[in-house]
Amino acid sequence: MPPPRSVVVHGHFYQPPRSDPWFEEMPRECSAAPFHDWNERIERECYRAVVAARVLDGTGRIASVVNTLTSISFDFGSTLLAWLERAAPETYAAVLAADRASCERLDGHGNAIAMPYHHVILPLCARRDKETEVRWGIADFARRYGRPPEGMWLPETAVDDETMDVLAAEGLGFTVLAPHQVVGAEPGEPATYRTTAGRTIAVIVYDGPLSHDVAFGPLIRDADLWRQRLLQQSAGRLTALATDGETYGHHHAFGEMALAALLSGLAESTDVRVENFASFLARHPPERVIGLNAPSSWSCPHGVDRWRADCGCRTHPERHTRQQWRVVLREALEWLVEELHGVFERESAGVLRDPWATRDAYGVARMAGDDAVRVLLSSCITTADRHVGTRMAELLDMEWNALSMFTSCGWFFDDIAGIESTQVLRYAVRAIELAGSRREELEAGLTTRLAEAVSNDPALGTGRDIYERDARPAVPAAVRVAALCGVADHLDVVVQPILPDGHEARVQRDVATVVETRTGREQRLQVAVDAPRPADIHITVQRLDGSASWQLAWSQLPERGRVALADILCGTMMPRLLDDRQREAVCRGRDVQRVVRDAVVEAVGALATDDSAAAALRVLELADLCVLLDRPVPFGAQTRFADLTRTLPPERVAALRPVALRLGFA
């Protein structure tokens, strides 16, 4: 009887990073509604689903709940894992547990494989940056999974000879490629690639048609058909398929259930062995040497031009748009990164014992936290001068953001005005901010180049417009933290627990001292808070020498702190502003936002017969409560107020001017 055929299903789990580079907070994304942002939405639809997938019995009832990651090969982008660790700890723990379980089942060969830290197109990176990204990815993997990775998934499977040489030099045993990326491969058999430098690395080539029919075709909707296709494969000893992990539940609703049903069916088959790439290679070392079609990727038939040229690839082919902006964005950021590397080399020379080795070590320390960064710097700097240490920390953070600029998502989609392209420009803003005396020169050079990148929507302008309008914050991060401190002090709230990550701050005699814990940079700013009503807060922040000042509103406070303060204010305002009937509705479980919305509409209606100052103030405070709950002023309240003003005498309408302004009227 022939040995069972090996089957490996691989899922590449990744989301574009969208946390801002200053506070590492995920902004609200309206397109992800009703969720706060796309990560939250996809975690609900996919990530928590694949670690708790339902397997149904013949009557449609739940027979079992399974963590599919215990049976499939997978990789998670490091930036996604960092978000899951903070925002979805139970899902994160299930991912790590799946790898441990697979190690126990498969003689120490875990299902998880590594990925370069950022989702960058490695063939487009200089070798030194390739090495750093791979080293950071290996270190992050080992820190999370508690073991070294055996293989590495390449972002977009983008590959060239130097990329393979870097993987081999860093001790990685294998990678996974698409059929069109290799020359001389035998279907269903592992192979070896020998780099021009003489190093070797194993290559697994996944089944292209089968993978396509799971990702885009009928198989994800029919587990029985999917199983039949797998069992019908006859070539070689291995059937491997690879898709985006988001196929299972996000791209296809209930796709994780199809995957779970497939795995359940395969477990009953005696002629297949469900395993991972590392365990298969341990039993079947590659014998055949293959070549590469390079540079190439799995998602661009033009090699890697999707990330540097107007090659015609786009997410909405029905729209006749052009992507010439990709050329400009790539060239502009490549110019910037070389300038930033020059700043790093010049300023760190003679201060860091080995600047580029320190950069590699910095990424590892940064993942572990600010204390680890301080320990690293104390061992790498040749002087004990505190100010020198702060500057080296800034330069290393500059390098981190410089590499972050090249996450592939910035070029993948159709327009430079998209949130992914804007995000890579945010990293550019932060990197330039840390460039010291060359800051203005570098920003001018970058924006001049970006002016040549034209959006497909004329109303959105050029890359320069997007940089200045959407990527560069209107208010510096330290100023926003100082404003938060001032408001917390005004409300007698302890500020430290509600500060954004990477910051410490305190207020004394209206002076806020703000410290970036990652770099040690300290700023002192004067803060004044005007709060005529609990939620109608206006903040003025200025430098102590008066050289610059900023006016901030509630919405400009860092989100984490703003939400915490809103909870406190809502807790004091709602008992006072809601009547007994409305409070009872909340107690019965009615949505608080809806109760408050209805209360605003009712309060506006009451102005028809109640001309007291208290009635007008109640409308103002209920409208403020909507803001605290992250809701707009209710449409019904605006409509009712407009109807009301048509019936009231002019002097009464004039007296309600503050209410009109608060409800959005001119």
Side-chain angles (χ1 to χ4, degrees):
M1 183 177 181
R5 160 181 295 277
S6 290
V7 170
V8 179
V9 178
H10 184 82
H12 165 55
F13 294 88
Y14 172 72
Q15 279 302 296
R18 288 184 286 268
S19 299
D20 82 75
W22 294 271
F23 302 146
E24 298 186 1
E25 291 182 342
M26 190 76 73
R28 182 176 294 279
E29 295 172 323
C30 296
S31 59
F35 300 96
H36 178 274
D37 54 72
W38 277 101
N39 273 23
E40 184 179 286
R41 176 171 173 173
I42 297 170
E43 192 277 329
R44 182 69 60 86
E45 294 174 348
C46 174
Y47 307 137
R48 75 168 59 180
V50 297
V51 300
R54 275 55 175 163
V55 178
L56 305 183
D57 66 12
T59 66
R61 301 185 69 82
I62 297 172
S64 61
V65 176
V66 299
N67 183 342
T68 62
L69 299 186
T70 63
S71 299
I72 72 169
S73 171
F74 64 88
D75 73 278
F76 272 80
S78 293
T79 53
L80 174 57
L81 282 176
W83 180 86
L84 284 171
E85 185 177 16
R86 294 192 305 270
E90 291 184 0
T91 300
Y92 174 75
V95 172
L96 304 190
D99 183 69
R100 290 194 299 271
S102 62
C103 283
E104 294 174 2
R105 181 171 65 89
L106 297 169
D107 299 323
H109 302 292
N111 284 346
I113 64 175
M115 195 191 83
Y117 190 87
H118 296 104
H119 200 272
V120 298
I121 302 303
L122 289 179
L124 297 179
C125 296
R127 179 162 187 132
R128 184 172 57 204
D129 293 345
K130 284 184 176 79
E131 290 170 345
T132 295
E133 285 288 352
V134 169
R135 289 167 183 168
W136 284 356
I138 291 171
D140 189 62
F141 182 97
R143 183 177 68 86
R144 295 182 187 281
Y145 294 100
R147 64 178 181 86
E150 296 185 74
M152 177 168 277
W153 178 269
L154 294 171
E156 302 290 344
T157 72
V159 71
D160 63 358
D161 179 78
E162 187 177 75
T163 297
M164 295 290 263
D165 194 62
V166 169
L167 298 191
E170 296 303 321
L172 292 158
F174 68 89
T175 192
V176 184
L177 297 177
H180 66 268
Q181 294 182 271
V182 301
V183 178
E186 184 177 339
E189 293 296 329
T192 293
Y193 177 75
R194 186 178 300 278
T195 72
T196 55
R199 297 183 176 93
T200 59
I201 183 171
V203 175
I204 299 291
V205 179
Y206 67 78
D207 186 311
L210 184 62
S211 299
H212 177 277
D213 288 351
V214 173
F216 305 105
L219 301 186
I220 193 66
R221 296 185 292 273
D222 189 335
D224 289 336
L225 179 60
W226 188 358
R227 179 168 169 265
Q228 290 172 22
R229 281 280 301 277
L230 278 170
L231 297 178
Q232 287 168 2
Q233 302 297 311
S234 58
R237 292 171 290 185
L238 170 67
T239 299
L241 67 90
T243 68
D244 283 333
E246 290 75 20
T247 299
Y248 307 113
H250 174 55
H251 297 164
H252 299 279
F254 308 113
E256 83 286 351
M257 294 180 67
L259 175 62
L262 168 77
L263 296 171
S264 177
L266 290 176
E268 298 173 0
S269 300
T270 59
D271 53 350
V272 297
R273 174 187 172 101
V274 178
E275 58 180 326
N276 60 47
F277 296 125
S279 65
F280 175 82
L281 287 169
R283 299 194 325 279
H284 305 291
E287 300 171 356
R288 191 182 189 89
V289 177
I290 60 167
L292 291 181
N293 286 317
S296 62
S297 65
W298 75 343
S299 54
C300 177
H302 316 98
V304 294
D305 282 355
R306 185 168 191 154
W307 299 276
R308 65 179 177 185
D310 184 6
C311 67
C313 290
R314 54 188 184 269
T315 53
H316 296 287
E318 72 280 3
R319 300 176 188 170
H320 300 291
T321 58
R322 297 188 62 202
Q323 281 74 47
Q324 183 63 24
W325 61 267
R326 287 175 177 158
V327 181
V328 180
L329 181 61
R330 172 66 59 178
E331 291 177 351
L333 293 186
E334 285 181 344
W335 169 83
L336 177 60
V337 78
E338 286 306 309
E339 295 295 317
L340 294 170
H341 287 345
V343 170
F344 176 65
E345 284 189 315
R346 284 189 297 274
E347 293 197 42
S348 64
V351 180
L352 295 177
R353 292 185 174 86
D354 185 335
W356 296 110
T358 302
R359 183 180 75 165
D360 288 343
Y362 172 77
V364 180
R366 196 182 197 273
M367 298 166 203
D370 296 337
D371 288 341
V373 171
R374 285 190 284 271
V375 171
L376 170 69
L377 288 171
S378 68
S379 66
C380 295
I381 295 177
T382 59
T383 175
D385 188 320
R386 179 175 64 85
H387 297 292
V388 172
T390 295
R391 183 60 187 146
M392 291 304 105
E394 288 180 332
L395 289 172
L396 289 164
D397 199 32
M398 179 188 76
E399 282 290 315
W400 176 277
N401 283 278
L403 295 189
S404 302
M405 295 189 306
F406 292 97
T407 182
S408 68
C409 330
W411 287 264
F412 186 85
F413 298 96
D414 293 356
D415 197 76
I416 192 171
I419 57 177
E420 295 83 8
S421 301
T422 302
Q423 180 70 14
V424 301
L425 291 178
R426 289 194 182 103
Y427 292 127
V429 173
R430 177 58 175 160
I432 290 172
E433 186 177 277
L434 295 165
S437 61
R438 294 202 60 201
R439 174 177 175 175
E440 292 184 5
E441 174 194 350
L442 292 177
E443 185 162 75
L446 179 64
T447 55
T448 297
R449 288 167 170 79
L450 290 174
E452 302 301 316
V454 181
S455 168
N456 287 297
D457 183 347
L460 298 177
T462 68
R464 178 175 190 157
D465 298 318
I466 294 158
Y467 178 96
E468 294 176 344
R469 181 187 63 234
D470 303 325
R472 185 173 61 197
V475 179
V479 172
R480 294 176 64 199
V481 174
L484 177 64
C485 285
V487 175
D489 187 61
H490 179 81
L491 298 174
D492 199 25
V493 173
V494 177
V495 71
Q496 192 61 42
I498 65 173
L499 288 174
D501 288 345
H503 289 80
E504 294 176 352
R506 63 184 184 277
V507 178
Q508 189 172 21
R509 297 189 182 91
D510 297 330
V511 174
T513 302
V514 180
V515 180
E516 287 184 8
T517 56
R518 184 164 293 125
T519 65
R521 179 65 64 186
E522 179 179 301
Q523 297 187 55
R524 300 178 73 238
L525 299 155
Q526 188 84 34
V527 185
V529 176
D530 177 31
R533 298 190 307 277
D536 185 20
I537 292 173
H538 306 277
I539 314 108
T540 301
V541 180
Q542 65 178 4
R543 293 189 179 133
L544 295 185
D545 62 4
S547 60
S549 65
W550 298 265
Q551 303 292 322
L552 288 85
W554 173 264
S555 62
Q556 292 172 293
L557 298 178
E559 184 174 356
R560 176 180 171 184
R562 187 176 74 243
V563 169
L565 293 176
D567 288 344
I568 294 169
L569 288 171
C570 288
T572 60
M573 292 172 68
M574 283 197 292
R576 177 168 55 81
L577 294 174
L578 301 183
D579 60 28
D580 291 343
R581 173 178 52 84
Q582 292 159 345
R583 288 196 295 271
E584 184 180 348
V586 173
C587 292
R588 289 201 309 268
R590 193 178 184 204
D591 181 65
V592 172
Q593 293 177 344
R594 180 173 295 183
V595 171
V596 171
R597 182 196 66 190
D598 293 346
V600 180
V601 176
E602 291 179 16
V604 170
L607 296 175
T609 57
D610 188 344
D611 61 359
S612 68
L617 179 61
R618 186 163 188 269
V619 174
L620 292 172
E621 292 193 323
L622 282 167
D624 289 344
L625 194 53
C626 288
V627 172
L628 294 174
L629 293 169
D630 262 345
R631 306 302 300 171
V633 171
F635 181 83
Q638 294 171 329
T639 303
R640 181 166 288 191
F641 186 80
D643 293 341
L644 180 65
T645 56
R646 297 190 190 99
T647 64
L648 294 176
E651 62 274 14
R652 177 84 172 103
V653 173
L656 290 174
R657 179 64 177 164
V659 174
L661 291 172
R662 189 68 189 82
L663 295 180
F665 290 87

